[in-house]
Amino acid sequence: MARLDRWLVNKLVRVEVPHDSRRNGYFHSRILGLHKGTLYIAVPTRGKEAAWVNPNTELYIHLDPSGSAAHSAGLEPSTLQPLRVQVTGRRLKPVPLLELKVVTDLPLHRADWQRNSHILAVTSGKGGTGKTTISLNLGWALAARGVSVALVDADIGTANAAVTVGLSSPRTLLEVVQGKASILDIGLRVHGLTIYPGIVGGSETADLSPWQYGRLLGAVAELEKRFDVVILDTGAGLGLSVTNFLLIADEVVLVLNPFRTSLLDGYGAVKSMTVNFWMPPVALVMNRVADSAAAAAAAAKFAATATQYLGMNIRTLGLVREDIAVIESLQNQSPLVPTNADSHAAQDIIAAARGLLPDWEAQKHP
């Protein structure tokens, strides 16, 4: 198959169910991964209907006609031959998905087009690394360069991105999970960044079902169509509440502190990714740095160890210096980058954002 693994992963697609009278027609889905000849897609949906089709069912995969990137690349999805696949299995975890055997090749080597958005999942091996501060300020740094950015607080149960900057909203991702609101109804805009408040506490958030996680991933797809960059501020650790969001990322931003415990927890998080069929690239941000030389050495050693033992390539995106301005911004519930851009930490985050942009700009403007 010509470069399937290169262009397919994480694409939004249409799925045609041609031989099932109950579900005949088109559904929307997302490619989750391609591993050893098996294609994984999120269970196709159409409104509130899900195509939880039986094994051996034949399907057709089409490029999503709403993908503006396809048009910018001079391609008309309707003119491209669909990919014929056969369902070989179904899974409920980590989210409802179908396993597919590729029956016919999809001649799309010329359609190596890029999606019109970029998904960054910001995570850490443990709490307290400053992950949310990095997420928010990366968003503001990108927005200041003319990039349209959405930040989704995907830290299920302990979301605090909106509160960090003094925002409150009666509507959160909980309403999205419950089917009471569209994610487009809950956005809060501040300094050019649109924040989608997350779920805080409550017994109903203790154990979201796979279908509810699937609904959240579908909500992210809605944002993809409207923003250049979508930042997912995930939780810390290795649970499904984190990995469910990492699986749709184009790149994972791993936030660590230059301390042994943080590095060990971060390595555990990276190692857990290697057991899954998706493998997003990882960029490392070392936060709260007092000694830049020592932190750079720790980051280099971390990356080298991951390459040697896990076969992963990890790049260092930036070192963010310890700065009283960060503490003051948190105390005042004010954005750091928009209001104190000359501070050491803000300058470091702005530099990290520039490190993200070259690859993204090349994809958007080939």
Side-chain angles (χ1 to χ4, degrees), residues 270-271 273-274 279-282 303 306-314:
V270 169
K271 185 177 180 180
M273 295 180 203
T274 66
M279 181 61 86
V282 176
T307 299
Q308 180 178 355
Y309 294 103
L310 303 178
M312 294 186 66
N313 291 319
I314 297 179

Side-chain angles (χ1 to χ4, degrees), residues 189-211:
R189 190 167 175 84
V190 55
H191 290 281
L193 174 67
T194 305
I195 299 174
Y196 294 86
I199 302 172
V200 182
S203 59
E204 62 276 325
T205 70
D207 188 21
L208 295 185
S209 72
W211 289 104

Side-chain angles (χ1 to χ4, degrees), residues 355-366:
L356 289 171
L357 275 178
D359 288 342
W360 174 78
E361 288 180 330
Q363 291 174 12
K364 191 171 178 65
H365 304 292

